[in-house]
Amino acid sequence: METFKNFVSYNEYLGLQKPLDNDIDVGYYDPPNMRLKSEAIAVDFYRISIKINLKNRNTPEKKPITAIFFNSPEMVVNEGWDVEPTYEGCTYNFPRKSSKKIGFYLKAIWITGNMKHFI
């Protein structure tokens, strides 16, 4: 199992753009150009992912879903993932040191309108 300590290494692993900076990262998914399958992983930061029309091959029910996923330090995604390139969405990453500021970040994201498009 791989543990990602920073946004740069995780974004490279997924095939996403480089992070905005070390304190916050906002990105949009581009599934045809991203990693669609992974073994178990963990991240050493906080991550919120919004995915629309997600089809996960790891679940017996292949019906597409729309969901918000939350990852935190020491949380392992044991099953990994195996998804089809049918979804769209965005991701917000926050360093471990900013855990007390997440509410502030979420409010700022909502106010700027970035989440409104997906909810």
Side-chain angles (χ1 to χ4, degrees):
M1 179 193 74
E2 188 163 358
T3 300
F4 296 93
K5 299 286 185 184
N6 57 58
F7 307 154
V8 172
S9 62
Y10 190 67
N11 284 10
E12 285 175 359
Y13 180 76
L14 288 180
L16 292 172
Q17 299 282 331
K18 290 183 179 180
L20 297 174
D21 63 36
N22 293 328
D23 291 321
I24 189 169
D25 182 36
V26 178
Y28 292 93
Y29 292 120
D30 182 18
N33 298 306
M34 291 174 51
R35 180 181 299 268
L36 298 175
K37 186 173 183 172
S38 177
E39 300 299 322
I41 60 112
V43 295
D44 194 34
F45 48 88
Y46 296 93
R47 178 176 176 78
I48 298 169
S49 300
I50 301 170
K51 296 179 181 173
I52 300 167
N53 198 33
L54 178 69
K55 293 182 184 179
N56 190 340
R57 296 179 185 120
N58 287 343
T59 57
E61 174 63 40
K62 290 188 177 182
K63 187 177 181 181
I65 63 168
T66 295
I68 298 175
F69 299 92
F70 181 76
N71 299 86
S72 61
E74 289 123 28
M75 179 182 155
V76 177
V77 180
N78 287 318
E79 68 279 0
W81 65 84
D82 185 5
V83 297
E84 296 180 16
T86 57
Y87 67 96
E88 63 179 322
C90 59
T91 178
Y92 301 92
N93 300 321
F94 311 94
R96 178 188 283 255
K97 66 184 178 186
S98 69
S99 64
K100 293 180 181 173
K101 297 179 185 177
I102 288 179
F104 169 78
Y105 287 134
L106 290 176
K107 186 174 181 181
I109 291 165
W110 181 262
I111 289 170
T112 62
N114 292 333
M115 286 181 100
K116 290 178 184 178
H117 173 74
F118 294 102
I119 297 178

